């Protein structure tokens, strides 16, 4: 593809037929090329609009965006375009929990009921914070029928989860809590800090780091939110066999891929699935986790707190995703497919449709990727994998 790029002075340029803007240090030219290649219309899932950011140490070395923020391709993607990131939100929420733990608000080994007494009902009195955050609490779904609108009522949802009987014996297996994890994690923040997780994020993490990422989108920024575009075709990998647990997990309620285009969805705080931001915001939030707890002069948490947050709590086949999972206190550990590069100590979270964010403390990097055209691949979005491969090829040469 024909290529040129905005230089560090801010001049715009084009790659093929798509305007690509941002900055890219010369040593990371391959990342620029990979980002451009993702817009190739011959791909199974070409980009419509996206942003990608790579931070190395204290420096922003790649910060790119391009394409369009709507399916009609009438609104160019700009530097301040933000987009829903589905489960990439969970990693951002886990970062908030790590900060809370570093301040003594919670202990990973303590029973959840210490902070949230009602949670101890129906055999859950001994479930610990780390069991809950590592998807082992047996609460990946609820037995009573739910609608998407039920998710917008925080108090009712956390009351249902507190009263629920687990779907399996807690601590015996892990099953991805696709929707419910956010309520469980968020209520821990609410019970121990008094603020919602979205407000905690804004005031204690995103704000100090200069990161734009919301859990609960203010109406004032709505004009900058990109339209989510449903995946093309059927999923290219299946989940686990559609067991009763998986039905309750993913279909109660069913989440339409384009529901983030609704204002009521954006306004709600859903720390499992409605975080909204851009690649720069995601990478900034992970940056302290790649650099011993601080970034650009802002100390967010200690190195020891990072180690406690990222210690492995479960490794094995997740009964809901059907794949090998490595769960810490809410973060997804790097896997054999190297979603997060070649270093096994990298950790983060990816989202339905392709978004991702992670930290690699070995390489001292953090990155974020946020597209609006969702991909149907459930086991490693090829667009994100191309970007990650390019990052490490550049690091090897630098």
């Amino acid at each position: 593809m024909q290529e040129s790029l905005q230089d560090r002075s801010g001049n715009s340029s084009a790659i093929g037929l798509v305007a690509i803007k941002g900055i890219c240090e010369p040593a990371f030219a391959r990342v620029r090329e990979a980002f451009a290649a993702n817009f190739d219309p011959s791909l199974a899932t070409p980009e419509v609009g996206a942003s990608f950011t790579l931070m190395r140490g204290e420096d922003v070395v790649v910060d790119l965006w391009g394409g369009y923020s709507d399916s009609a391709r009438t609104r160019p993607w700009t530097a301040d375009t933000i987009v829903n990131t589905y489960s990439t939100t969970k990693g951002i929420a886990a970062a908030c929990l790590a900060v809370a733990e570093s301040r003594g608000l919670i202990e990973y080994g303590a029973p959840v009921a210490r902070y949230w007494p009602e949670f101890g009902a129906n055999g859950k009195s001994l479930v610990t914070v780390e069991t809950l955050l590592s998807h082992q609490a047996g609460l990946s779904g609820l037995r009573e029928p739910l609608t998407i609108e039920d998710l917008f009522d925080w108090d009712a949802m956390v009351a249902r989860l507190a009263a629920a009987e687990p779907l399996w014996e807690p601590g015996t297996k892990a099953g991805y809590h696709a929707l419910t994890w956010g309520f469980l994690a968020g209520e821990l923040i609410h019970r121990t800090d008094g603020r919602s997780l979205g407000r905690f994020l804004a005031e204690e993490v995103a704000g100090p780091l200069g990161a734009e990422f919301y859990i609960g989108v203010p109406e004032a920024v709505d004009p900058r939110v990109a339209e989510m575009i449903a995946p093309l075709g059927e999923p290219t990998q299946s989940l686990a066999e559609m067991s009763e647990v998986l039905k309750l997990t993913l279909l109660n309620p069913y989440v339409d891929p384009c529901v983030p285009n609704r204002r009521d969805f954006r306004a709600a705080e859903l720390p499992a699935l409605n975080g909204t931001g851009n690649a720069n915001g995601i990478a900034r939030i992970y940056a302290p986790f790649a650099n011993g707890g601080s970034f650009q002069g802002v100390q967010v948490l200690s190195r020891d707190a990072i180690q406690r947050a990222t210690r492995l709590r479960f490794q094995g086949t997740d009964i809901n995703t059907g794949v090998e999972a490595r769960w810490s206190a809410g973060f997804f550990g790097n896997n054999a497919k190297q979603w997060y590069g070649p270093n096994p100590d990298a950790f983060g979270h990816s989202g339905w449709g392709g978004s991702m964010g992670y930290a690699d403390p070995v390489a001292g990097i953090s990155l974020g990727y946020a597209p609006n055209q969702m991909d149907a691949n459930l086991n490693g979005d090829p667009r994100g994998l191309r970007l990650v491969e390019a990052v490490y090829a550049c690091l090897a040469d630098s």
Side-chain angles (χ1 to χ4, degrees):
M1 300 178 78
Q2 178 188 1
E3 64 177 58
S4 60
L5 186 73
Q6 177 178 348
D7 60 27
R8 294 194 68 90
S9 66
N11 298 319
S12 64
S13 65
I15 298 180
L17 300 178
V18 177
I20 301 294
K21 298 183 179 180
I23 61 172
C24 182
E25 297 287 355
F28 291 90
R30 283 190 231 181
V31 179
R32 174 198 68 204
E33 293 163 2
F35 185 75
N38 280 341
F39 287 87
D40 187 332
S42 69
L43 296 175
T45 303
E47 301 282 26
V48 172
S51 58
F52 179 81
T53 300
L54 172 66
M55 299 186 176
R56 187 182 193 187
E58 301 288 311
D59 301 320
V60 182
V61 295
V62 180
D63 191 25
L64 302 173
W65 61 89
Y68 298 91
S69 64
D70 63 331
S71 58
R73 293 172 167 80
T74 62
R75 293 189 290 132
W77 193 290
T78 63
D80 62 359
T81 296
I82 55 178
V83 67
N84 185 74
T85 61
Y86 275 112
S87 286
T88 296
T89 314
K90 290 183 177 75
I92 303 299
C96 292
L97 269 292
V99 172
E101 190 274 345
S102 74
R103 297 177 183 178
L105 295 177
I106 59 172
E107 295 179 18
Y108 292 126
V112 175
R114 175 190 295 180
Y115 312 111
W116 180 5
E118 301 93 323
F119 183 86
N122 267 319
K124 303 192 299 298
S125 62
L126 298 181
V127 175
T128 63
V129 171
E130 59 190 353
T131 297
L132 182 145
L133 295 179
S134 58
H135 299 265
Q136 298 184 78
L139 295 171
S140 66
L142 290 166
R143 292 183 172 88
E144 60 187 288
L146 299 173
T147 66
I148 192 71
E149 288 77 18
D150 286 326
L151 301 182
F152 307 155
D153 188 336
W154 184 273
D155 291 341
M157 282 299 299
V158 297
R160 289 184 179 105
L161 288 163
E165 179 182 354
L167 300 177
W168 65 85
E169 183 181 347
T172 61
K173 59 187 76 173
Y176 186 51
H177 289 42
L179 306 181
T180 58
W181 188 93
F183 295 103
L184 299 167
E187 189 63 9
L188 275 172
I189 292 288
H190 181 237
R191 294 288 176 133
T192 57
D193 177 77
R195 289 173 285 185
S196 69
L197 195 149
R199 185 177 166 196
F200 186 94
L201 167 66
E203 297 177 355
E204 303 296 338
V205 182
L209 290 169
E212 187 171 25
F213 195 95
Y214 306 98
I215 297 176
V217 178
E219 191 168 6
V221 306
D222 252 11
R224 296 194 283 109
V225 180
E227 176 189 359
M228 290 297 286
I229 306 169
L232 306 172
E234 296 298 317
T236 54
Q237 281 90 24
S238 62
L239 293 166
E241 182 180 352
M242 189 56 76
S243 65
E244 190 63 27
V245 169
L246 187 54
K247 289 178 183 178
L248 294 175
T249 299
L250 294 184
L251 303 180
N252 186 34
Y254 168 71
V255 177
D256 183 276
C258 293
V259 73
N261 299 330
R262 290 171 45 171
R263 175 61 203 159
D264 54 357
F265 179 91
R266 292 177 185 170
E269 289 197 17
L270 304 173
L273 72 157
N274 84 334
T276 301
N278 54 26
N280 188 285
I282 295 168
R284 283 187 178 274
I285 290 170
Y286 275 106
F289 289 84
N291 294 286
S294 66
F295 180 66
Q296 294 183 345
V298 178
Q299 187 74 37
V300 177
L301 73 173
S302 69
R303 190 180 299 273
D304 287 345
I306 296 171
Q307 292 176 345
R308 292 193 297 271
T310 59
R311 182 175 63 80
L312 191 65
R313 269 73 176 195
F314 174 85
Q315 182 167 358
T317 301
D318 184 291
I319 65 168
N320 285 331
T321 65
V323 300
E324 182 81 5
R326 299 174 70 245
W327 292 115
S328 58
F331 295 110
F332 186 82
N334 205 3
N335 58 12
K337 290 183 175 291
Q338 298 187 349
W339 289 0
Y340 307 146
N343 296 328
D345 291 335
F347 59 90
H349 217 291
S350 302
W352 183 29
S355 65
M356 67 172 172
Y358 74 86
D360 180 348
V362 176
I365 65 168
S366 65
L367 62 79
Y369 168 56
N372 65 343
Q373 171 61 69
M374 298 175 67
D375 186 84
N377 196 303
L378 298 175
N379 196 10
D381 186 324
R383 299 168 299 176
L385 292 174
R386 279 191 288 270
L387 289 164
V388 169
E389 182 179 3
V391 165
Y392 288 90
C394 293
L395 289 173
D397 290 342
S398 64

